[in-house]
Amino acid sequence: MTPYAPRVEKTPAAVREALDEDLRAEYAAEWAAALDQAKESFDLVPAFDMLERWWPVAQVCVQSGGRQAVEQGTRDALAGVPGIPFDLDWDD
């Protein structure tokens, strides 16, 4: 058995498409800022770094109930409740 999670391509467009609607504006603003920085510095590292930070969020958003489970896990952790903040889907 292996854990199964829907895979989002690690591209700016794929990550944006996978995000929940309420996160897209924040993502777009960060992407625009990273590109502005790249224009000035001729360095794409900030854009790549930003994509690396958002890609796991996109992975969670494409899982049914994934974002809600992670948010509940965060609330539980802050409240001192031990445990895994989400259920893993397994394929056979």
Side-chain angles (χ1 to χ4, degrees):
M1 282 197 222
T2 59
Y4 171 77
R7 300 288 294 172
V8 175
E9 288 184 56
K10 202 179 283 187
T11 66
V15 168
R16 182 191 179 284
E17 182 64 29
L19 291 173
D20 291 344
E21 189 174 327
D22 64 320
L23 294 173
R24 286 184 188 152
E26 183 180 350
Y27 173 82
E30 282 191 38
W31 182 247
L35 291 181
D36 287 344
Q37 185 177 355
K39 285 182 205 174
E40 294 296 318
S41 66
F42 289 88
D43 183 2
L44 291 173
V45 171
F48 292 133
D49 289 346
M50 180 255 168
L51 186 61
E52 287 291 329
R53 281 193 317 277
W54 278 95
W55 183 69
V57 177
Q59 293 283 61
V60 168
C61 287
V62 296
Q63 283 226 345
S64 177
R67 184 171 171 197
Q68 293 82 3
V70 169
E71 289 171 353
Q72 182 62 51
T74 301
R75 287 190 296 274
D76 289 348
L78 292 172
V81 177
I84 297 174
F86 52 88
D87 293 323
L88 293 176
D89 291 333
W90 297 89
D91 65 357
D92 291 305

